[in-house]
Amino acid sequence: MNVIETSIPGVLIVETDVFGDHRGFFTETYNKPKYEAMGITNDFVQDNMSFSAQKGTLRGLHWQNPPYAQAKLVSCSKGKVIDVAVDIRKGSPTFGKWVSVELSAENHRQFYIPRGFAHGFLTLTDDVEFRYKCDNVYHKAAEGGMRYDAPEVNVDWGALLAGIEPVLSEKDTTGPTLADSNNQFVYGENC
């Protein structure tokens, strides 16, 4: 396995070893000792999968506030997405900055997103299956989120969408900006 550091410390791209032959391929999607050796020491307790039927589906930007915050290890098992992590830890040197990575069934990459980050993705193909490993269980009352186009974050979805009108939920269309959100993360305290 290979781990790639991004421009935001702690946010990592994981490239799994893929062994292929005429039958197909095999890859380990998670191996606790190997991930711990790479610095991913979370105890993952919940696995989720989402399906997006249409290219241009944009989901995000979401998080769960403390004490139900979640670190995530995400991947795309069918299709292709651009995945985005935004640092929302107040006081962080990278507060409001974002990084993205292309995840696909072909490249087998994973994206590790620590607690204290908003998360979202944009589908680049139809029929996308997206998988999440989370280190805390979902708790509805802890939901947090901001508009996908929050101006103080300025994720460049326009370039990513390349003229495609995004397919959005009502929540993602009408959500607050980061400044007006219920974000409760403080750098170095509750992440």
Side-chain angles (χ1 to χ4, degrees), residues 5-164:
E5 295 188 20
T6 68
S7 60
I8 300 179
V11 179
L12 305 171
I13 300 166
V14 178
E15 295 177 327
T16 61
D17 293 327
V18 180
F19 305 95
D21 62 23
H22 66 281
R23 301 166 298 166
F25 70 89
F26 171 84
T27 188
E28 286 183 336
T29 58
Y30 183 71
N31 178 312
K32 188 169 182 149
K34 288 181 181 179
Y35 280 74
E36 286 177 346
M38 293 185 293
I40 300 174
T41 59
N42 306 79
D43 183 18
F44 292 109
V45 297
Q46 181 174 321
D47 286 0
N48 303 320
M49 184 178 87
S50 71
F51 173 76
S52 300
Q54 189 174 343
K55 177 181 179 180
T57 299
L58 199 157
R59 296 178 184 260
L61 297 160
H62 308 142
W63 63 86
Q64 282 208 172
N65 282 304
Y68 300 100
Q70 293 177 323
K72 297 177 181 174
L73 182 64
V74 300
S75 61
C76 182
S77 56
K78 182 178 180 187
K80 182 177 3 178
V81 305
I82 294 291
D83 200 70
V84 174
V86 180
D87 187 349
I88 60 169
R89 301 168 297 169
K90 297 171 191 166
S92 167
T94 54
F95 178 79
K97 303 287 186 214
W98 58 277
V99 292
S100 66
V101 63
E102 183 177 295
L103 304 174
S104 72
E106 288 76 33
N107 70 20
H108 303 281
R109 283 182 157 185
Q110 299 174 335
F111 201 32
Y112 174 71
I113 305 161
R115 294 178 178 198
F117 285 77
H119 172 248
F121 65 91
L122 170 68
T123 62
L124 301 177
T125 62
D126 292 336
D127 300 325
V128 168
E129 291 179 3
F130 192 81
R131 299 183 183 264
Y132 311 66
K133 291 188 89 53
C134 303
D135 75 340
N136 207 345
V137 295
Y138 170 77
H139 195 268
K140 185 164 182 56
E143 278 186 356
M146 66 177 150
R147 291 180 56 88
Y148 75 98
D149 59 353
E152 66 269 61
V153 174
N154 200 28
V155 174
D156 193 0
W157 297 112
L160 300 174
L161 285 165
I164 299 168

